[in-house]
Amino acid sequence: MIKLGFKRNLLLSIKNLPGWRTKRKIVVFSVDDYGNVRMASKHARENLIKKGLNLHSNRFDLYDCLEDNNDLTYLFEVLNSFKDKNNNSAVFTCFTNPANIDFEKMAQTGYSEYHYELLPDTFKKLNGYENVFTLWKEGIKNKLIMPQFHGREHVNIKLLLELLKNNNSEVLTCFENRSFPVISKKQYKTISLAASFSFDKFEENETHKKTISDGLKVFEKVFGFKALNFNAPGIHEHHSLENTLRQGGVMYIDTDIIKNEHQGNGVYRRQYNYLGKKSNSGLTYLIRNCVFEPSIESNIDWVDTCLTQIEISFKLNKPANISSHRINFSGHIEPENREHGLKQLKKLLKAIVVKWPDVEFMTSDELGNLITSLK
């Protein structure tokens, strides 16, 4: 197994130098893609492979699936097994899409219009998902998960409609199997189908603003409270969308230390950020400084790597904000994938509470509240 070398440790230390500091040992798990329909089932995956779609180059196409009863039940068991110094359980901040493509309605309209459905309605349509939204509510109540805004849905609507208009066979095959479109050829250099707020021309951001405004209302309708934290699905959003986020109640936004921001027409500009930085729109930037991705097949020891990153963060008086994805704990298609991810998560959490008995588990919005309250 590969461990972090001196050069990598130095880069991580530099990354943690600027911004807000605390001597408290705070650990946040920021986990993307909850609520998002990717591959519908193992049967759907087999159908797509038979149709000639190449799924083996992307772990999300192979294993990622809407969280089911077992995914949440087993995840909760692991999180609830580890307590911090305040007797709080480990908790996931689940960056969540509160809506998905309405495959059936789009088919009825000949794929000429985009239609979405609310997340609870998606659960109702699927076998084996009858109790999932009830589990969501229990997880929130018991402070094991906390949803935050990951865009209304995890799809670039402009590109999707263009592909459907052109009768793209790969997209149509995915739709027939109620799965997220998998395409082999890129239509735009600056737009990814899974990146909701990516764009070609700058003026496309006006449409994105409407989607965000509606998405925040949908989030509140689904979960019963406003989202406070936002992380863009796929590629980062343009900062011109921040006023819309703030007007919708968002206070915190996940971003990178160095954000390579598209300005339109393939022109990029670098933006330098740090933990606790305030944007012109009044949003506070949160920075993820650790990574935990055990579903990536490699010779990386993800537990050891993440522990090293946490240690560097604490030494520099920074909270450890661990970036991850739902796929690491997804087992609807391959139970072994979930078992592996949860086993690694359990190992990581055990090491954290043993090494730092004064650790505090927080959600990302709680961290944001702490940063802004102490300014």
Side-chain angles (χ1 to χ4, degrees):
M1 291 289 185
I2 290 178
K3 296 187 178 182
L4 295 180
F6 173 78
K7 186 176 180 180
R8 180 62 175 160
N9 286 347
L10 180 62
L11 289 173
L12 286 170
S13 298
I14 293 172
K15 181 179 180 179
N16 279 291
L17 285 176
W20 184 81
R21 296 175 183 277
T22 179
K23 291 187 179 297
R24 293 166 66 176
K25 304 294 191 293
I26 297 169
V27 169
V28 173
F29 282 90
S30 296
V31 190
D32 295 337
D33 296 344
Y34 277 89
N36 174 46
V37 168
R38 187 79 185 201
M39 194 61 60
S41 63
K42 193 169 187 175
H43 178 68
R45 186 179 71 176
E46 291 171 353
N47 285 343
L48 297 184
I49 292 174
K50 287 178 183 177
K51 291 286 187 177
L53 275 71
N54 178 20
L55 308 183
H56 291 88
S57 61
N58 190 320
R59 62 178 174 138
F60 293 96
D61 293 334
L62 282 176
Y63 305 120
D64 198 21
C65 194
L66 188 64
E67 60 275 8
D68 66 12
N69 297 336
N70 288 332
D71 288 342
L72 291 183
T73 299
Y74 296 143
L75 173 64
F76 293 170
E77 287 178 1
V78 172
L79 294 175
N80 201 37
S81 298
F82 298 93
K83 309 292 183 179
D84 66 10
K85 74 170 193 174
N86 301 311
N87 202 37
N88 294 318
S89 300
V91 57
F92 271 15
T93 302
C94 299
F95 286 87
T96 305
N97 303 112
N100 282 291
I101 299 168
D102 190 330
F103 296 101
E104 293 80 13
K105 194 168 184 179
M106 289 191 69
Q108 291 169 7
T109 59
Y111 302 119
S112 60
E113 303 170 354
Y114 179 74
H115 295 278
Y116 67 81
E117 63 190 15
L118 301 189
L119 179 58
D121 295 328
T122 304
F123 288 137
K124 291 175 185 176
K125 288 182 177 181
L126 304 176
N127 293 326
Y129 285 82
E130 296 80 7
N131 300 319
V132 179
F133 200 59
T134 299
L135 285 170
W136 258 101
K137 293 176 181 178
E138 290 177 2
I140 295 169
K141 181 181 178 181
N142 295 325
K143 298 182 179 180
L144 296 172
I145 54 173
M146 173 55 68
Q148 292 297 340
F149 191 52
H150 198 41
R152 190 179 66 190
E153 60 274 282
H154 211 306
V155 61
N156 189 280
I157 298 170
K158 165 190 165 69
L159 180 54
L160 177 66
L161 288 176
E162 287 182 5
L163 291 167
L164 288 168
K165 183 179 179 180
N166 294 329
N167 294 313
N168 183 283
S169 60
E170 294 172 320
V171 173
L172 289 171
T173 299
C174 288
F175 265 54
E176 290 168 3
N177 287 275
R178 216 179 185 285
S179 297
F180 184 80
V182 179
I183 57 172
S184 57
K185 188 180 292 184
K186 199 165 186 180
Q187 310 297 310
Y188 296 91
K189 290 183 178 179
T190 59
I191 300 180
S192 167
L193 191 55
S196 303
F197 306 121
S198 56
F199 58 94
D200 180 32
K201 308 294 183 184
F202 179 78
E203 52 266 28
E204 292 164 26
N205 284 295
E206 293 304 311
T207 301
H208 292 335
K209 289 177 184 178
K210 295 176 183 177
T211 302
I212 286 174
S213 181
D214 182 58
L216 288 168
K217 293 174 184 175
V218 170
F219 183 98
E220 186 174 8
K221 183 176 182 179
V222 169
F223 292 109
F225 54 85
K226 289 182 179 292
L228 295 178
N229 194 187
F230 168 73
N231 180 46
I235 301 169
H236 278 297
E237 76 300 328
H238 189 270
H239 72 271
S240 61
L241 304 182
E242 291 181 357
N243 279 329
T244 304
L245 288 162
R246 188 68 191 91
Q247 290 166 7
V250 172
M251 297 177 64
Y252 315 115
I253 184 168
D254 279 33
T255 192
D256 294 330
I257 288 282
I258 302 176
K259 178 182 178 182
N260 201 25
E261 185 182 74
H262 184 217
Q263 305 301 309
N265 301 307
V267 176
Y268 287 82
R269 181 185 301 156
R270 284 189 176 184
Q271 177 186 349
Y272 296 92
N273 304 304
Y274 54 83
L275 179 63
K277 178 182 177 181
K278 279 273 191 181
S279 73
N280 292 333
S281 59
L283 294 176
T284 299
Y285 291 150
L286 301 181
I287 307 294
R288 302 185 189 186
N289 53 0
C290 306
V291 180
F292 184 65
E293 298 285 355
S295 67
I296 294 179
E297 295 182 5
S298 67
N299 57 351
I300 295 175
D301 184 331
W302 282 105
V303 173
D304 182 79
T305 296
C306 191
L307 286 171
T308 300
Q309 293 171 338
I310 294 170
E311 185 171 25
I312 291 171
S313 303
F314 288 169
K315 282 183 177 179
L316 294 171
N317 297 324
K318 288 297 178 68
N321 192 341
I322 302 169
S323 181
S324 191
H325 288 82
R326 176 190 64 184
I327 186 176
N328 297 299
F329 319 103
S330 177
H332 187 76
I333 294 177
E334 295 288 355
E336 295 82 4
N337 180 70
R338 177 183 59 228
E339 290 166 9
H340 172 72
L342 291 179
K343 182 179 179 181
Q344 294 298 299
L345 176 62
K346 191 173 184 178
K347 186 177 177 182
L348 174 64
L349 287 169
K350 183 177 181 180
I352 288 172
V353 297
V354 169
K355 190 166 187 176
W356 298 287
D358 55 343
V359 68
E360 297 177 69
F361 295 124
M362 287 188 184
T363 59
S364 66
D365 54 295
E366 288 175 329
L367 173 61
N369 290 342
L370 177 63
I371 292 171
T372 54
S373 67
L374 294 179
K375 280 194 169 184

